[in-house]
Amino acid sequence: MKNFTKYAKQIFQVGSGNFLEMYDYMIFGLYASIIAKVFFPNENHFISIVYAFGVFAAGAFMRPIGAIVLGGYIDKFGRKKGLIMTLGLMSIGTISIAFCPSYEQIGIIAPIIVLIGRLIQGFSAGAELGGVSIYLSEIAPKGLKGFFVAWQSGSQQIATAFATGIGVILHYYFSDAMMESWGWRIPFFIGCLVIPFIFYIRRTLEETPEFAKNQAHQIKKTFGALLKNVFQNFGTIIVGIMLVMTTTVFYYFISVYTPTYAKEVLNFSRIESFGVTVIISLSNLFWLLVSGYMSDRIGRKKVLFTASLLGIFISYPLLIYLTNNISFTNLILVELALSLVYGVWNGTMTVTLSEIMPSSVKAMGFSFSYSVAVAVFGGLTPAVSTFLIEVTQNRAIPGIWLTCVACISFVAVLIIRKKIS
């Protein structure tokens, strides 16, 4: 019981910042159609939404830079110091967006402030996720590493449920006009209010035993030496990017893009669009933890092959079925099926990625692989989906995007099959 309490506390401490990161990302995605009107007004609402999602993607493009700079800092000076720094930067981004005046009030300065806020958030997020995953892998007891690391993504699902739950409540009590006028800022203000609390609990983190043991050696390493090590293991980085593609694209589709997809493409109400995302985030959490635990029991390889094959064969058919049989029940069922693919894949993929990275650049290598995948594929998923639907007039076309990335991740598992259990 003593160890359980200790581990639960550590998971909570390190996962809290990850919670804030995903909460920030979610509320931007959830309110993208409103943010488009407030900061990127255009006679064509489709263009406004693309601009908003373009800024969303711009934050993702900063992730690789953050992964190198902050990931290197984490590898050199420690997990605790690095995670406190990422939290500080993340907070700046949250506050800048929450208090930014509208385009109507200050003109072109408004979207510039929003863009800068997203860039800062993306920069910090580049190493936050990797730092948390590595921390959890280094404190995990023997035989439970997969289950422990799964809590990194688990904290994100809790953030998703929290963010969308707030959305459901707000849209229940406030009219669409009130939400578009000022109500959309409330979730951002809530994010600002929890920042001091998260700072407090993260400052109480202990350094991981594994880093503490090698601390003297790591501090002597120059940043250039860390970068050199990364380039020496560039093949592993590429495979890592291929592995993360399914994680990030499926997540951004079923969680970040779904509210906009359901509202703008399938014509559901905002409450229904947000409500399904709450359900999906809880489903994600369940499958992530089950997958992490199962990978500890039966091996990473079997779980990864199963999840990637599911992604390949069911994604497009599911969206075809949904768009031909639109109902709230079918929306939930299709999203739950895609949640199964995401949760089972990512619950095992994250710990696998932490295990294949060299120990000397574990945080930087992990963060860079993850960040590039998010920047190039995940962060662009809402914009790509919106663009493809507009160009092809096929509302199921995002399923092809999901299928393609699942194929690439399947190839990555084939490449590393001899290196994993």
Side-chain angles (χ1 to χ4, degrees):
M1 184 63 184
K2 183 180 179 182
N3 282 340
F4 173 81
T5 304
K6 173 189 173 185
Y7 289 133
K9 180 182 177 183
Q10 287 177 311
I11 290 173
F12 176 73
Q13 287 173 313
V14 74
S16 59
N18 213 201
F19 170 94
L20 179 63
E21 177 213 334
M22 186 46 60
Y23 177 80
D24 288 341
Y25 268 70
M26 276 306 303
I27 55 178
F28 192 99
L30 292 172
Y31 295 97
S33 60
I34 297 178
I35 289 172
K37 293 178 181 179
V38 175
F39 297 113
F40 307 95
N42 191 288
E43 292 181 2
N44 186 332
H45 187 51
F46 160 72
I47 298 296
S48 293
I49 292 177
V50 170
Y51 282 158
F53 279 133
V55 171
F56 184 86
F61 280 119
M62 284 297 291
R63 280 178 174 248
I65 301 173
I68 293 174
V69 176
L70 298 177
Y73 183 89
I74 292 172
D75 279 327
K76 183 176 174 63
F77 295 107
R79 316 314 188 200
K80 177 181 176 178
K81 289 182 179 180
L83 289 174
I84 290 174
M85 179 177 288
T86 59
L87 178 59
L89 291 170
M90 202 184 309
S91 302
I92 295 172
T94 305
I95 294 168
S96 65
I97 294 174
F99 292 94
C100 181
S102 68
Y103 185 94
E104 187 177 299
Q105 293 172 313
I106 60 172
I108 192 65
I109 302 299
I112 291 174
I113 291 173
V114 172
L115 174 61
I116 292 172
R118 288 291 304 146
L119 293 176
I120 294 173
Q121 283 182 332
F123 182 77
S124 64
E128 168 70 21
L129 187 147
V132 170
S133 299
I134 298 306
Y135 187 96
L136 290 172
S137 72
E138 292 181 349
I139 66 167
K142 187 176 181 181
L144 284 175
K145 184 178 286 190
F147 179 73
F148 264 56
V149 176
W151 277 103
Q152 176 273 316
S153 295
S155 66
Q156 295 182 330
Q157 307 316 309
I158 296 171
T160 301
F162 184 66
T164 49
I166 290 172
V168 170
I169 294 170
L170 290 174
H171 282 285
Y172 181 80
Y173 285 104
F174 300 126
S175 66
D176 285 351
M178 291 171 69
M179 287 300 299
E180 290 183 9
S181 175
W182 54 268
W184 67 272
R185 293 186 187 270
I186 294 175
F188 284 93
F189 291 149
I190 292 172
C192 294
L193 291 174
V194 302
I195 288 171
F197 172 70
I198 296 176
F199 257 114
Y200 171 75
I201 60 177
R202 185 161 273 193
R203 283 178 64 86
T204 62
L205 273 176
E206 296 178 2
E207 188 54 80
T208 67
E210 184 174 328
F211 181 84
K213 185 172 66 175
N214 300 313
Q215 186 171 11
H217 174 67
Q218 287 294 96
I219 288 177
K220 289 179 181 178
K221 278 194 168 185
T222 64
F223 186 75
L226 290 170
L227 272 179
K228 183 179 179 182
N229 283 349
V230 167
F231 284 113
Q232 287 173 343
N233 295 278
F234 201 68
T236 303
I237 301 289
I238 296 298
V239 172
I241 294 170
M242 294 167 67
L243 288 171
V244 179
M245 283 172 64
T246 289
T247 284
T248 186
V249 169
F250 271 75
Y251 180 78
Y252 276 79
F253 181 81
I254 64 176
S255 294
V256 178
Y257 181 61
T258 284
T260 300
Y261 183 65
K263 172 70 171 61
E264 303 290 339
V265 179
L266 303 181
N267 298 313
F268 287 99
S269 70
R270 277 208 171 94
I271 289 182
E272 289 173 323
S273 304
F274 281 33
V276 72
T277 310
V278 176
I279 296 169
I280 296 310
S281 61
L282 297 176
S283 171
N284 289 345
L285 176 61
F286 174 78
W287 290 118
L288 282 164
L289 300 179
V290 168
S291 175
Y293 182 78
M294 288 303 297
S295 74
D296 289 326
R297 303 277 77 82
I298 67 174
R300 322 286 191 217
K301 195 185 309 180
K302 292 178 181 178
V303 180
L304 291 175
F305 273 129
T306 301
S308 56
L309 286 172
L310 272 175
I312 291 169
F313 290 111
I314 73 172
S315 298
Y316 190 50
L318 281 173
L319 289 187
I320 289 177
Y321 173 78
L322 174 61
T323 53
N324 289 330
N325 303 274
I326 297 176
S327 73
F328 189 61
T329 299
N330 287 338
L331 175 64
I332 291 175
L333 291 175
V334 168
E335 291 283 330
L336 284 173
L338 294 175
S339 166
L340 169 66
V341 176
Y342 162 77
V344 173
W345 172 265
N346 195 46
T348 297
M349 186 286 300
T350 308
V351 68
T352 302
L353 186 60
S354 72
E355 290 173 335
I356 66 173
M357 287 296 161
S359 59
S360 59
V361 287
K362 188 168 282 191
M364 185 187 285
F366 184 110
S367 298
F368 187 73
S369 295
Y370 215 108
S371 297
V372 170
V374 171
V376 180
F377 302 99
L380 284 174
T381 291
V384 167
S385 297
T386 302
F387 176 77
L388 289 176
I389 291 169
E390 181 72 13
V391 169
T392 66
Q393 295 300 301
N394 178 359
R395 295 180 295 179
I397 197 68
I400 297 296
W401 177 243
L402 298 175
T403 300
C404 290
V405 298
C407 288
I408 294 172
S409 292
F410 177 79
V411 172
V413 180
L414 287 175
I415 293 172
I416 62 168
R417 67 187 185 279
K418 295 181 180 179
K419 298 180 180 180
I420 57 178
S421 59

